């Protein structure tokens, strides 16, 4: 009898606690659409919403996509110019809406020297980040009071303004002769997602992931790295999840050649951070409910549902890769070569030239971007010679130029793939 | 016949004529200094060559603009229907098409280029305009307002006549000054004005973006009209404010606020800002240069591309209507004695009487010094000035914490342990760091060798490279330590001074030269506080009574000077406390007992003293200067009236205002610059000179007190 009473009491307690918990949140939890995966991720909460979400394909790159085309920083690194590649006309132009402008001086709307590293240099280091979010472009800059800011630029480049102060740094020089010490400047990693700017100040001894509401002033700490030789990087947002990676070389030796780190996820709804894939410190991507990652010259896939892992491609040419619905695109920066594999790991095609070196600029289902230069490029005083028309690779090699390469992936899949080099700047060797 | 009133005021005419000749002389002098022998044949040939190049490219450049508008119209972001960009493309194309048939010609244009580039002229003309506007409000001053208001044409018609007089005087000033300068330039450079009047204005390269098909002659007429209208608008704004507010200081202050706003919009709003209309509509932009004619810009007004010049002209119309309308309203409806305002005033008077009776009771209990404080802080609204200055100082101070870099963090940790004279422990720490970095370098070098031999995979090499990169902040930190250690060793060898490791970041921020605006407000605050200290007694008619009383001379003088110095000291304390705490909160202020030469910026200091003592000395110097300004203003207050004291004291601020608007040379004569003692010291690099300057300020202060004392107590 006593046992029965206890059972009834326990049951009643369970029912009451269930009722209370439902009444507390006021939310009905649908079990139909929720599929919690082997990594503890809710797949239905990972869907991309165009107006509020970061584009995972182009975060951490010099390229960003809008519904009309792609914005990218000029590849030379010497001129902080923003370019636009128009999907409709297939032309690349400086982001300046003034036909009366020759795009050769800092008055041009496409140049951003004034908001980066005022007083000295061209602030080219900030050109590692650009993001199209909610109809506007966002870039990083630093003002003369040493505040590192997010700047908002209209989609046609006609206006710009400071949007959010991320943090205050101290670039004062310790040497008497200089007023500022820009050697301490390292561009932060930034990702704007669902109304917040997530950022990592790369200058800190122990890096931290923080977030701030766009236009807000209060910063929240999300994650602090552990080791003293660590990094927090490669943020990619998928719905309610913000993925990022850490690596720590504190204990890295030849005997123990394995840096600590992995892929972490920050859950926007709960505010919790947890490790989802240990030891993965190089490129990763999420598509088709799968996590693809690079590890030790191989590309692996891992099911988000079952956590089952598969080796996809062995001995790949480079560490940068992208995924679309059908293919895996792997890029080798040493030879600017792009290799295309199907999802079973079979090589479909390859395009590139060993005379070029380049950096991966991002890829979606239509285009892939690289920035690069010819191998013999002479760095010196740069002229501002630009072209908006495609030039051939031979011309490029002959002229010693930096370039932005764009490849149309549909052409590549047909076997006609070739790079189109739209923007370049010719270097002149300093006397 | 209102315009004749100015003619009757000999002082005003004297000022205008004086300014005209001074300006012409200064223009010719500047041309002589800047151009020297530029009129030599070789220079003329060079200029001609440059002009030929420009003209050869002119057509190409215009065609490029038109073509570029067409090519840009296929780019999706620039061609969206009803968007600003598409309208801008269309408008720019249409505007520049006008220039396609234009044929610029080569001619000797130096005299015209110099005339258009001489921006000081614009400031002088505005000054003349303000003087004339002030001359046309004499009835307020002479108390004739009641009679004039009652006369037949003494209301709206009078206002219109005044406006007509302003228009006429604006025309006279414009023609005389701009015409005079053009004539002087033509004669000086031996130009041929009559020969180029029919040439297109685009023959001058500075007007290459002006999409008008006009000759130089017609353009000069338009240019004069532009300057005339602009001057008229400034004059009518100033005059309306003076006429409506009926209180010289208040009206002057309001006009000053308009001026400051115009300047801030011009300086702070970028041409690509969404609020760029504020920049282009700023009168400062319109007055200070020729941007109206030289800069082509369409503004985004609700997605319509409106040419900035049309917007500026619309703004002018609005301003004229607004200020003329305001003046007409005031002229017609503000009764000198009985008015709605008067009724409100009487009610306020009634309330203020009650307050006054309470105040009277309070005042009776005040001691002599207390009464003097009361006069300055309450009667003369000094408390408002103090609060305003303190608010500005707090606003200017940045207490936000700084996100330190790895290098700065390691540096702070190093100083926590090793602040002081370099010793074995600190050296050991540096050596350990060097050793660690050497190991990391060697590891990378070995990895490259092994990779070449095929003993190490690319992946492992990349990881070692990453590890090497992760020590970048350590390398920067070591560089900073090496820099400081080398300096301290040199200091020991050359001057036998045992320098310390101290936090250079914190002291550098304390020595920052970015406090000019705070200094400017400090000086203005002191001037406003002290200018009425003595003159208020004259104004209230109490001076003979005070002088006749027992303590009315030296006693009152002493108390008044005490009030001036105490309030000045309060402002000094506020600024010093804010400066020190803002740095101490962020960085901490440790090592104050270290020799001042530990900071490399102070290596030239010849005396041995600690950082703390040296900084105390710097702040004492600053305090001396502030006291000197207070004493100088008090002296003027004792000798003259409050307005004159304010006017004369503000002269002290003029050099800094000139520095702020771009005349950097004036920083050498600006007291505001000297008030930030440390930056001044870095420029001079001589403690004796700064000490002498401080002594000079003390002498000025003492002499001012003596002069004030003589005026107040002896004469």
């Amino acid at each position: 009898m006593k046992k029965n009473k206890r059972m009834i009491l326990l049951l009643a307690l369970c029912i009451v606690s269930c009722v209370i918990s439902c009444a507390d949140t006021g939310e009905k939890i649908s079990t139909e659409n929720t599929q919690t995966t082997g990594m503890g991720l809710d797949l239905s909460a990972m869907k991309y919403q165009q107006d509020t979400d970061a584009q995972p394909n182009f975060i951490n790159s010099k390229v960003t996509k809008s519904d009309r085309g792609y914005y990218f920083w000029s590849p030379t690194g010497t001129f902080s110019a923003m370019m636009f590649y128009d999907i409709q006309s297939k032309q690349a132009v400086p982001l300046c809406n003034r036909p009366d402008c020759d795009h050769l001086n800092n008055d041009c709307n496409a140049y951003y020297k004034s908001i980066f590293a005022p007083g000295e240099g061209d602030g080219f280091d900030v050109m590692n980040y650009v993001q199209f979010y909610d109809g506007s472009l966002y870039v990083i800059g630093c003002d003369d009071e040493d505040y590192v800011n997010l700047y908002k630029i209209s989609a046609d480049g006609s206006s710009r303004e400071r949007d959010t102060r991320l943090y205050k740094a101290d670039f004062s020089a310790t040497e008497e002769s200089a007023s500022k010490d820009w050697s301490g400047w390292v561009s932060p990693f930034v990702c704007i997602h669902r109304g917040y700017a997530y950022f990592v100040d790369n200058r800190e001894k122990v890096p931290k992931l923080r977030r701030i509401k766009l236009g807000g002033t209060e910063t929240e700490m999300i994650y602090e790295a552990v080791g003293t030789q660590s990094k927090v990087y490669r943020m990619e947002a998928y719905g309610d999840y913000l993925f990022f990676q850490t690596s720590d070389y504190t204990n890295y030796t030849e005997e123990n050649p394995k840096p600590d780190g992995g892929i972490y996820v920050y859950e926007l709804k709960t505010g919790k951070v947890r490790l989802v894939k240990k030891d993965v410190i190089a490129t990763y991507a999420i598509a088709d409910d799968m996590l693809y990652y690079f590890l030790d010259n191989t590309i692996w896939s891992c099911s988000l549902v079952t956590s089952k892992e598969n080796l996809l491609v062995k001995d790949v040419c480079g560490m940068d890769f992208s995924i679309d619905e059908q293919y895996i695109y792997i890029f080798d920066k040493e030879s600017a070569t792009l290799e295309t594999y199907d999802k079973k790991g079979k090589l479909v095609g390859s395009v590139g030239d060993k005379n070029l070196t380049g950096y991966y600029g991002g890829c979606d289902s239509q285009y892939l971007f690289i920035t690069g230069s010819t191998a013999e490029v002479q760095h010196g005083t740069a002229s501002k010679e630009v072209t908006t028309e495609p030039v051939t690779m031979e011309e490029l090699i002959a002229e010693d130029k930096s370039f932005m390469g764009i490849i149309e992936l549909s052409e590549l899949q047909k076997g006609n793939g070739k790079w189109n080099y739209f923007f370049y700047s010719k270097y002149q060797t300093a006397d | 016949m209102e315009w004749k009133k100015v003619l009757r005021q000999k002082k005003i005419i004297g000022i205008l004529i004086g300014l005209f000749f001074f300006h012409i002389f200064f223009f010719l002098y500047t041309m002589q200094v800047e151009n020297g022998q530029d009129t030599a044949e070789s220079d003329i040939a060079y200029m001609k060559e440059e002009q030929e190049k420009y003209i050869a490219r002119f057509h190409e450049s215009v065609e490029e603009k038109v073509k570029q508008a067409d090519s840009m119209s296929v780019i999706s972001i620039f061609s969206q229907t009803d968007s600003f960009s598409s309208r801008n493309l269309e408008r720019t194309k249409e505007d520049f098409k006008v220039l396609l048939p234009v044929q610029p010609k080569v001619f000797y244009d130096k005299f015209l280029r110099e005339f258009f580039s001489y921006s000081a002229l614009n400031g002088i003309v505005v000054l003349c305009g303000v003087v004339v506007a002030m001359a046309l409000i004499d009835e307020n001053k002479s108390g004739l307002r009641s009679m004039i208001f009652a006369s037949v044409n003494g209301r709206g018609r009078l206002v219109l006549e005044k406006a007509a007089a302003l228009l006429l005087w604006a025309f006279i000033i414009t023609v005389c000054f701009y015409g005079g300068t053009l004539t002087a330039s033509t004669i000086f450079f031996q130009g041929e004005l009559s020969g180029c009047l029919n040439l297109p204005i685009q023959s001058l390269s500075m007007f290459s973006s002006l999409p008008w098909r006009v000759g130089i002659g017609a353009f000069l007429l338009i240019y004069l009209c532009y300057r005339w209208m602009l001057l008229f608008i400034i004059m009518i704004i100033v005059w309306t404010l003076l006429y409506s507010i009926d209180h010289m200081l208040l009206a002057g202050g309001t006009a000053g606020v308009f001026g400051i706003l115009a300047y801030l919009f011009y300086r702070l709003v970028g041409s690509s800002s969404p609020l760029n209309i504020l920049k282009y509509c700023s009168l400062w932009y319109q007055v200070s240069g020729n941007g109206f004619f030289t800069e082509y810009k369409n503004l985004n007004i609700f997605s319509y591309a409106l040419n900035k010049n049309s917007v500026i002209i619309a703004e002018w119309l609005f301003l004229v209507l607004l200020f003329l309308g305001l003046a007409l309203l005031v002229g017609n409806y503000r009764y000198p004695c009985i008015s709605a305002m008067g009724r409100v005033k009487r009610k306020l008077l009634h309330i203020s009487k009650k307050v006054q009776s309470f105040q009277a009771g309070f005042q009776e209990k005040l001691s002599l010094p207390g009464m003097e404080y009361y006069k300055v802080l309450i009667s003369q609204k000094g408390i408002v000035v103090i609060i305003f200055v303190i608010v500005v100082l707090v606003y200017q101070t940045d207490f936000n914490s700084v996100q330190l870099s790895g290098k700065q963090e390691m540096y702070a940790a190093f100083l926590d342990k090793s602040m002081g004279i370099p010793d074995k422990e600190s050296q050991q720490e540096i050596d350990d760091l060097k050793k660690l970095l050497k190991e990391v370098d060697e590891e990378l070098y070995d990895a490259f060798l092994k990779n070449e031999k095929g003993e190490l995979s690319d992946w492992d090499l990349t990881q070692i490279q990453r590890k090497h990169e992760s020590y970048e902040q350590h390398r920067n930190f070591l560089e900073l330590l090496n820099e400081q250690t080398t300096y301290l060793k040199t200091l020991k060898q050359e001057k036998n001074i045992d320098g310390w490791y101290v936090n250079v970041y914190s002291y550098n921020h304390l020595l920052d030269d970015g406090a000019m605006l705070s200094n400017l407000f400090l000086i203005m605050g002191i001037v406003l506080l002290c200018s009425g200290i003595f003159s208020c007694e004259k104004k209230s008619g109490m001076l003979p009574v005070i002088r006749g009383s027992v303590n009315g001379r030296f006693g009152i003088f002493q108390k008044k000077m005490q009030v001036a110095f105490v309030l000045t000291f309060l402002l000094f304390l506020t600024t010093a406390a804010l400066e020190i705490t803002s740095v101490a909160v962020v960085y901490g202020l440790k090592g104050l007992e270290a020799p001042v030469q530990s900071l490399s910026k102070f290596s030239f200091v010849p005396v041995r003293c600690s950082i703390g003592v040296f900084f105390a000395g710097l702040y004492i110097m600053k305090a001396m200067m502030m006291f000197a300004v207070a004493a100088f203003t008090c002296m003027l207050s004792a000798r003259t009236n409050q307005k004159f004291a304010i006017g004369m004291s503000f002269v002290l601020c003029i050099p800094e205002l000139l520095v702020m608007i771009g005349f950097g040379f004036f920083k050498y004569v600006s007291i505001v610059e000297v008030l930030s003692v440390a930056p001044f010291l870095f420029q001079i690099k001589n403690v004796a000179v700064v000490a002498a300057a401080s002594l000079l300020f003390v002498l000025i202060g003492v002499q001012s007190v003596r002069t004030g004392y003589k005026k107040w107590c002896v004469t």
Side-chain angles (χ1 to χ4, degrees), chain A residues 51-111:
Chain A
D51 295 337
T52 57
D53 289 7
Q55 309 150 4
N57 294 330
F58 291 105
I59 288 296
N60 317 305
S61 83
K62 295 181 173 195
V63 183
T64 190
K65 187 190 179 184
S66 74
D67 47 354
R68 294 176 184 276
Y70 297 83
Y71 297 87
F72 58 91
W73 282 113
S74 61
T76 63
T78 313
F79 308 114
S80 41
M82 181 70 80
M83 304 289 291
F84 177 72
Y85 176 69
D86 187 32
I87 299 172
Q88 191 184 312
S89 63
K90 303 204 175 197
Q91 280 187 48
V93 290
L95 186 63
C96 174
N97 69 334
R98 291 170 48 206
D100 56 315
C101 178
D102 53 13
H103 314 305
L104 292 180
N105 57 52
N106 285 320
D107 293 335
C108 170
N109 283 348
Y111 288 87

Side-chain angles (χ1 to χ4, degrees), chain A residues 334-354:
Chain A
E334 296 303 325
S335 59
T337 302
L338 179 75
E339 288 181 349
T340 310
Y341 292 85
D342 64 18
K343 294 273 176 87
K344 287 173 185 165
K346 189 186 163 195
L347 182 67
V348 177
S350 171
V351 60
D353 193 291
K354 63 183 176 185

Side-chain angles (χ1 to χ4, degrees), chain B residues 370-418:
Chain B
M371 192 60 205
E372 291 305 324
Y373 282 109
Y374 182 85
K375 280 182 201 167
V376 174
L377 294 176
I378 310 297
S379 307
Q380 292 168 31
K381 319 286 185 289
I383 189 78
V384 180
V385 174
I386 289 178
I387 291 170
F388 179 73
V389 174
I390 290 177
V391 167
V392 169
L393 292 177
V394 172
Y395 182 74
Q396 285 281 307
T397 315
D398 193 348
F399 287 100
N400 284 344
S401 62
V402 169
Q403 212 155 289
L404 295 178
S405 66
K407 160 186 154 181
Q408 289 160 340
E409 220 175 297
M410 284 184 267
Y411 180 61
F414 172 80
L415 289 175
D416 280 345
K417 278 190 285 178
S418 308

Side-chain angles (χ1 to χ4, degrees), chain A residues 86 96-97 99 101 109 147 156 159-160 168 170 173-174 176 181 201 203 229 249 252 254 281 296, chain B residues 68 72 76 85 88 272 398 400 403 406-408 450 459 463 467 470 473-474 483 508-509 587 685:
Chain A
D86 187 32
C96 174
N97 69 334
C101 178
N109 283 348
Y147 279 94
D156 62 358
S159 69
R160 62 183 77 164
K168 189 183 181 189
D170 182 357
T174 50
E176 201 184 334
D181 175 17
D201 176 6
R203 307 166 314 122
Q229 303 310 127
Y249 291 87
Y252 185 92
E254 237 177 281
I281 57 166
D296 206 1
Chain B
Q68 189 162 251
M72 284 171 73
S76 59
S85 284
N88 184 43
S272 298
D398 193 348
N400 284 344
Q403 212 155 289
K407 160 186 154 181
Q408 289 160 340
K450 282 181 183 172
W459 168 257
Q463 297 316 310
K467 181 183 175 180
S470 75
Q473 295 283 0
H474 288 74
E483 182 191 304
N508 280 354
H509 282 288
Y587 298 95
K685 284 199 185 296

Side-chain angles (χ1 to χ4, degrees), chain A residues 39 263 276-277 280 283-295 298-314 316 321 323 327-328 330 342-345:
Chain A
M39 291 184 182
I263 302 175
V276 288
K277 194 74 201 165
V280 177
T283 324
Y284 68 93
I286 290 174
D288 319 323
D289 300 345
M290 302 286 272
L291 168 71
Y292 297 87
Y293 60 88
F294 179 94
L295 186 68
T298 48
I299 290 181
W300 294 75
S301 69
C302 175
S303 165
L304 294 175
V305 182
T306 61
S307 296
K308 192 185 165 192
E309 294 187 356
N310 272 324
L311 183 114
L312 279 183
V313 190
K314 269 186 193 171
V316 293
F321 73 91
I323 307 278
Y327 298 101
I328 304 167
I330 303 170
D342 64 18
K343 294 273 176 87
K344 287 173 185 165

Side-chain angles (χ1 to χ4, degrees), chain A residues 205-207 225-231 246-261 281, chain B residues 436 439-440 443 463-464 466-468 470-471 474:
Chain A
K205 191 180 175 192
V206 179
V226 182
T228 52
Q229 303 310 127
S230 52
K231 269 187 173 285
T246 70
S247 63
D248 179 19
Y249 291 87
T250 314
N251 303 317
Y252 185 92
T253 57
E254 237 177 281
E255 292 75 42
N256 174 34
K258 203 174 169 189
D260 297 325
I281 57 166
Chain B
L436 173 70
E439 279 170 12
V440 174
E443 190 183 8
Q463 297 316 310
I464 291 170
R466 294 247 167 99
K467 181 183 175 180
H468 187 264
S470 75
Y471 281 91
H474 288 74

